[in-house]
Amino acid sequence: MLTAKNIAKSYNGKVALKDVSFEVSKGEIFCLFGQNGAGKTTIINIFLGFINKDGGQAFVGDKEVGKDDTNKLTAYIPETVQLYSNLSGIENLNFFSQLAGFSYATDELEAFLTKTGLQADAHHKRLSAYSKGMRQKVGIAVALAKNAEVIFMDEPTSGLDPKATSEFTKTCKELAQSGKVIFMATHDIFNAVELATTIGIMKEGSLVKQLKSSEIDAGQLNKLYLETI
């Protein structure tokens, strides 16, 4: 569902990505590690069409990014979800759903929010009263309403307390079980081992390690990560 073939990118002569290749199948959760500047966010931005690559190919399903319309297949949840604080959760969801070309009844919008684990009494409260974890749930609901096949996330557990992280992990696993692909840039080693099906490690623009999470525990991953970077 997600394919990178020898993707390359440079900024003013400085290499950001160098021949990055990988594949992610339906139902997989790919967690990508690396120091700041290793290229994690650049990969996400290329797949989302935010920036152009210098070489290689990026595919979402059978559609090539930059040549075909892949926007309808993808959704993005950044570290800080950008929503309107003066609107309620359901109003935000309705607004962004309509921007994506979808129109839903109120009960359908509520069902999306409920599926992410957002409590019913928060659906009609303004976002200004939401925690970061609650805002993320609205972001995930937007991805569901958009019917995105691939959901990109950048540091999604940063700043979440243990309860919110646990709820987030549960939601992601349910999305993967439904066939969605989740591609996540993260520094959260312990959550990644619990959450991911595949783990990748970036160094200086190259994907230097790729392994199944079932092959490693958190302590081993931490040691491998430190040895790699």
Side-chain angles (χ1 to χ4, degrees), residues 116-130:
T116 69
L118 185 69
Q119 56 269 37
D121 61 2
H123 291 183
H124 295 274
K125 288 183 179 179
R126 288 189 176 185
L127 264 289
S128 56
Y130 278 33

Side-chain angles (χ1 to χ4, degrees), residues 7-22:
I7 293 177
K9 178 67 180 177
S10 295
Y11 296 100
N12 299 319
K14 180 177 174 57
V15 175
L17 296 176
K18 182 170 57 178
D19 293 329
V20 174
S21 298
F22 58 80

Side-chain angles (χ1 to χ4, degrees), residues 16-196:
L17 296 176
K18 182 170 57 178
D19 293 329
V20 174
S21 298
F22 58 80
E23 291 184 350
V24 188
S25 300
K26 279 192 173 185
E28 283 197 278
I29 300 174
F30 192 110
C31 287
L32 189 63
F33 286 89
Q35 291 181 300
N36 292 336
K40 305 186 302 297
T41 301
T42 299
I43 289 175
I44 290 175
N45 286 339
I46 285 173
F47 270 101
L48 290 171
F50 293 164
I51 60 175
N52 295 321
K53 59 192 179 304
D54 295 333
Q57 294 174 292
F59 292 89
V60 181
D62 60 356
K63 298 184 181 297
E64 185 173 358
V65 178
K67 293 185 178 180
D68 302 311
D69 182 8
T70 56
N71 289 333
K72 293 180 179 180
L73 298 172
T74 63
Y76 177 47
I77 300 174
E79 181 176 353
T80 302
V81 180
Q82 300 297 318
L83 299 168
Y84 292 99
S85 296
N86 60 322
L87 299 179
S88 68
I90 201 165
E91 287 171 336
N92 269 281
L93 177 56
N94 184 49
F95 174 73
F96 286 104
S97 297
Q98 290 189 20
L99 280 184
F102 295 90
S103 180
Y104 294 104
T106 299
D107 61 337
E108 292 175 307
L109 294 169
E110 290 175 339
F112 285 127
L113 292 170
T114 298
K115 189 171 183 178
T116 69
L118 185 69
Q119 56 269 37
D121 61 2
H123 291 183
H124 295 274
K125 288 183 179 179
R126 288 189 176 185
L127 264 289
S128 56
Y130 278 33
S131 66
K132 179 177 180 180
M134 294 167 71
R135 294 173 71 94
Q136 280 187 328
K137 290 174 181 178
V138 176
I140 293 173
V142 172
L144 292 176
K146 188 182 175 184
N147 198 29
E149 295 293 332
V150 182
I151 305 172
F152 292 93
M153 302 181 180
D154 201 350
E155 300 293 346
T157 59
S158 174
L160 295 186
D161 61 37
K163 183 175 184 295
T165 298
S166 177
E167 291 173 347
F168 168 81
T169 299
K170 179 176 180 290
T171 299
C172 287
K173 286 183 175 181
E174 290 173 350
L175 290 173
Q177 288 170 359
S178 72
K180 305 294 185 184
V181 168
I182 295 176
F183 189 94
M184 180 189 306
T186 183
H187 289 293
D188 192 340
I189 287 174
F190 292 95
N191 186 62
V193 171
E194 166 67 19
L195 177 62

